[in-house]
mmCIF file of all heavy atoms in Angstrom:
data_model
loop_
_atom_site.group_PDB
_atom_site.id
_atom_site.type_symbol
_atom_site.label_atom_id
_atom_site.label_comp_id
_atom_site.label_asym_id
_atom_site.label_seq_id
_atom_site.Cartn_x
_atom_site.Cartn_y
_atom_site.Cartn_z
ATOM 1 N N ARG B 219 81.050 131.866 65.159
ATOM 2 C CA ARG B 219 82.375 131.506 65.643
ATOM 3 C C ARG B 219 82.351 131.061 67.101
ATOM 4 O O ARG B 219 83.169 130.247 67.522
ATOM 5 C CB ARG B 219 83.273 132.737 65.484
ATOM 6 C CG ARG B 219 84.722 132.551 65.833
ATOM 7 C CD ARG B 219 85.431 133.911 65.653
ATOM 8 N NE ARG B 219 86.765 133.900 66.248
ATOM 9 C CZ ARG B 219 87.884 133.736 65.567
ATOM 10 N NH1 ARG B 219 87.839 133.562 64.261
ATOM 11 N NH2 ARG B 219 89.056 133.742 66.179
ATOM 12 N N TYR B 220 81.365 131.609 67.861
ATOM 13 C CA TYR B 220 81.371 131.393 69.313
ATOM 14 C C TYR B 220 80.146 130.631 69.835
ATOM 15 O O TYR B 220 79.055 130.725 69.257
ATOM 16 C CB TYR B 220 81.395 132.744 70.045
ATOM 17 C CG TYR B 220 82.663 133.527 69.853
ATOM 18 C CD1 TYR B 220 82.700 134.607 68.970
ATOM 19 C CD2 TYR B 220 83.818 133.189 70.552
ATOM 20 C CE1 TYR B 220 83.845 135.347 68.795
ATOM 21 C CE2 TYR B 220 84.986 133.929 70.377
ATOM 22 C CZ TYR B 220 85.002 135.006 69.502
ATOM 23 O OH TYR B 220 86.140 135.728 69.326
ATOM 24 N N VAL B 221 80.324 129.924 70.887
ATOM 25 C CA VAL B 221 79.191 129.440 71.691
ATOM 26 C C VAL B 221 78.615 130.663 72.405
ATOM 27 O O VAL B 221 79.374 131.511 72.884
ATOM 28 C CB VAL B 221 79.676 128.409 72.737
ATOM 29 C CG1 VAL B 221 78.542 128.029 73.693
ATOM 30 C CG2 VAL B 221 80.237 127.176 72.052
ATOM 31 N N ASP B 222 77.295 130.773 72.451
ATOM 32 C CA ASP B 222 76.687 131.984 73.007
ATOM 33 C C ASP B 222 76.686 131.962 74.541
ATOM 34 O O ASP B 222 75.644 131.891 75.190
ATOM 35 C CB ASP B 222 75.250 132.133 72.471
ATOM 36 C CG ASP B 222 74.649 133.476 72.872
ATOM 37 O OD1 ASP B 222 75.409 134.341 73.356
ATOM 38 O OD2 ASP B 222 73.425 133.650 72.705
ATOM 39 N N HIS B 223 77.883 131.989 75.093
ATOM 40 C CA HIS B 223 77.986 131.964 76.557
ATOM 41 C C HIS B 223 79.353 132.487 76.968
ATOM 42 O O HIS B 223 80.362 132.092 76.377
ATOM 43 C CB HIS B 223 77.787 130.528 77.062
ATOM 44 C CG HIS B 223 77.857 130.404 78.552
ATOM 45 N ND1 HIS B 223 76.853 130.835 79.379
ATOM 46 C CD2 HIS B 223 78.824 129.918 79.366
ATOM 47 C CE1 HIS B 223 77.187 130.597 80.649
ATOM 48 N NE2 HIS B 223 78.391 130.045 80.665
ATOM 49 N N VAL B 224 79.362 133.382 77.941
ATOM 50 C CA VAL B 224 80.645 133.834 78.479
ATOM 51 C C VAL B 224 80.890 133.045 79.756
ATOM 52 O O VAL B 224 80.219 133.266 80.766
ATOM 53 C CB VAL B 224 80.637 135.349 78.767
ATOM 54 C CG1 VAL B 224 81.999 135.782 79.318
ATOM 55 C CG2 VAL B 224 80.282 136.127 77.513
ATOM 56 N N TYR B 225 81.819 132.093 79.665
ATOM 57 C CA TYR B 225 82.053 131.216 80.820
ATOM 58 C C TYR B 225 82.709 132.033 81.932
ATOM 59 O O TYR B 225 83.747 132.667 81.723
ATOM 60 C CB TYR B 225 82.966 130.056 80.418
ATOM 61 C CG TYR B 225 82.988 128.908 81.415
ATOM 62 C CD1 TYR B 225 82.221 127.777 81.208
ATOM 63 C CD2 TYR B 225 83.760 128.972 82.567
ATOM 64 C CE1 TYR B 225 82.235 126.713 82.100
ATOM 65 C CE2 TYR B 225 83.777 127.930 83.486
ATOM 66 C CZ TYR B 225 83.012 126.806 83.247
ATOM 67 O OH TYR B 225 83.035 125.770 84.155
ATOM 68 N N GLY B 226 82.058 132.013 83.098
ATOM 69 C CA GLY B 226 82.590 132.780 84.227
ATOM 70 C C GLY B 226 81.759 134.013 84.530
ATOM 71 O O GLY B 226 81.927 134.645 85.566
ATOM 72 N N GLU B 227 80.837 134.337 83.617
ATOM 73 C CA GLU B 227 79.978 135.484 83.903
ATOM 74 C C GLU B 227 79.125 135.197 85.139
ATOM 75 O O GLU B 227 78.961 136.051 86.009
ATOM 76 C CB GLU B 227 79.089 135.792 82.701
ATOM 77 C CG GLU B 227 78.208 137.023 82.934
ATOM 78 C CD GLU B 227 77.480 137.498 81.683
ATOM 79 O OE1 GLU B 227 77.495 136.757 80.673
ATOM 80 O OE2 GLU B 227 76.910 138.599 81.712
ATOM 81 N N ARG B 228 78.615 133.979 85.243
ATOM 82 C CA ARG B 228 77.777 133.638 86.377
ATOM 83 C C ARG B 228 78.196 132.344 87.084
ATOM 84 O O ARG B 228 77.719 132.065 88.181
ATOM 85 C CB ARG B 228 76.307 133.521 85.911
ATOM 86 C CG ARG B 228 75.759 134.837 85.356
ATOM 87 C CD ARG B 228 74.301 134.724 85.023
ATOM 88 N NE ARG B 228 73.505 134.504 86.225
ATOM 89 C CZ ARG B 228 72.374 133.804 86.269
ATOM 90 N NH1 ARG B 228 71.930 133.249 85.165
ATOM 91 N NH2 ARG B 228 71.716 133.647 87.391
ATOM 92 N N GLU B 229 79.066 131.547 86.477
ATOM 93 C CA GLU B 229 79.466 130.268 87.078
ATOM 94 C C GLU B 229 79.954 130.478 88.513
ATOM 95 O O GLU B 229 80.782 131.346 88.774
ATOM 96 C CB GLU B 229 80.582 129.615 86.242
ATOM 97 C CG GLU B 229 80.072 128.700 85.132
ATOM 98 C CD GLU B 229 79.569 129.492 83.926
ATOM 99 O OE1 GLU B 229 79.785 130.703 83.876
ATOM 100 O OE2 GLU B 229 78.961 128.866 83.025
ATOM 101 N N MET B 230 79.459 129.664 89.437
ATOM 102 C CA MET B 230 79.855 129.723 90.849
ATOM 103 C C MET B 230 79.782 131.156 91.401
ATOM 104 O O MET B 230 80.625 131.578 92.167
ATOM 105 C CB MET B 230 81.283 129.181 91.041
ATOM 106 C CG MET B 230 81.429 127.677 90.848
ATOM 107 S SD MET B 230 80.387 126.661 91.915
ATOM 108 C CE MET B 230 81.057 126.936 93.538
ATOM 109 N N GLY B 231 78.763 131.901 90.980
ATOM 110 C CA GLY B 231 78.623 133.270 91.470
ATOM 111 C C GLY B 231 79.430 134.271 90.667
ATOM 112 O O GLY B 231 79.474 135.448 91.007
ATOM 113 N N GLY B 232 80.059 133.829 89.590
ATOM 114 C CA GLY B 232 80.836 134.729 88.745
ATOM 115 C C GLY B 232 82.319 134.671 89.060
ATOM 116 O O GLY B 232 82.701 134.471 90.208
ATOM 117 N N THR B 233 83.123 134.824 88.000
ATOM 118 C CA THR B 233 84.573 134.802 88.196
ATOM 119 C C THR B 233 85.190 136.016 87.512
ATOM 120 O O THR B 233 84.543 136.673 86.692
ATOM 121 C CB THR B 233 85.197 133.523 87.603
ATOM 122 O OG1 THR B 233 84.998 133.534 86.177
ATOM 123 C CG2 THR B 233 84.573 132.277 88.189
ATOM 124 N N ASN B 234 86.426 136.307 87.864
ATOM 125 C CA ASN B 234 87.129 137.417 87.235
ATOM 126 C C ASN B 234 88.054 136.940 86.117
ATOM 127 O O ASN B 234 88.925 137.665 85.685
ATOM 128 C CB ASN B 234 87.911 138.219 88.276
ATOM 129 C CG ASN B 234 86.985 139.075 89.104
ATOM 130 O OD1 ASN B 234 86.042 138.572 89.695
ATOM 131 N ND2 ASN B 234 87.230 140.374 89.138
ATOM 132 N N TRP B 235 87.871 135.711 85.728
ATOM 133 C CA TRP B 235 88.551 135.209 84.538
ATOM 134 C C TRP B 235 87.448 134.672 83.658
ATOM 135 O O TRP B 235 86.670 133.822 84.096
ATOM 136 C CB TRP B 235 89.563 134.112 84.868
ATOM 137 C CG TRP B 235 90.661 134.031 83.844
ATOM 138 C CD1 TRP B 235 90.541 133.573 82.564
ATOM 139 C CD2 TRP B 235 92.011 134.456 84.012
ATOM 140 N NE1 TRP B 235 91.745 133.670 81.925
ATOM 141 C CE2 TRP B 235 92.681 134.210 82.780
ATOM 142 C CE3 TRP B 235 92.735 135.015 85.056
ATOM 143 C CZ2 TRP B 235 94.021 134.501 82.572
ATOM 144 C CZ3 TRP B 235 94.078 135.294 84.855
ATOM 145 C CH2 TRP B 235 94.718 135.052 83.620
ATOM 146 N N LEU B 236 87.324 135.225 82.458
ATOM 147 C CA LEU B 236 86.199 134.884 81.607
ATOM 148 C C LEU B 236 86.703 134.173 80.360
ATOM 149 O O LEU B 236 87.812 134.460 79.893
ATOM 150 C CB LEU B 236 85.432 136.155 81.222
ATOM 151 C CG LEU B 236 84.959 136.970 82.442
ATOM 152 C CD1 LEU B 236 84.640 138.397 82.044
ATOM 153 C CD2 LEU B 236 83.761 136.306 83.091
ATOM 154 N N THR B 237 85.898 133.262 79.860
ATOM 155 C CA THR B 237 86.351 132.456 78.733
ATOM 156 C C THR B 237 85.327 132.457 77.601
ATOM 157 O O THR B 237 84.126 132.297 77.846
ATOM 158 C CB THR B 237 86.632 131.004 79.183
ATOM 159 O OG1 THR B 237 87.599 131.041 80.228
ATOM 160 C CG2 THR B 237 87.175 130.162 78.036
ATOM 161 N N LEU B 238 85.813 132.639 76.407
ATOM 162 C CA LEU B 238 84.986 132.477 75.199
ATOM 163 C C LEU B 238 85.495 131.265 74.447
ATOM 164 O O LEU B 238 86.698 131.010 74.420
ATOM 165 C CB LEU B 238 85.116 133.704 74.292
ATOM 166 C CG LEU B 238 84.394 134.977 74.701
ATOM 167 C CD1 LEU B 238 84.657 136.056 73.649
ATOM 168 C CD2 LEU B 238 82.906 134.737 74.840
ATOM 169 N N SER B 239 84.565 130.529 73.831
ATOM 170 C CA SER B 239 84.988 129.335 73.108
ATOM 171 C C SER B 239 84.104 129.108 71.886
ATOM 172 O O SER B 239 82.927 129.500 71.872
ATOM 173 C CB SER B 239 84.915 128.128 74.032
ATOM 174 O OG SER B 239 85.107 126.946 73.279
#
Side-chain angles (χ1 to χ4, degrees):
Chain B
R219 184 182 167 100
Y220 293 103
V221 173
D222 188 11
H223 181 74
V224 180
Y225 195 99
E227 182 170 11
R228 298 185 65 211
E229 270 78 10
M230 290 303 292
T233 64
N234 285 55
W235 206 289
L236 304 161
T237 303
L238 285 180
S239 170

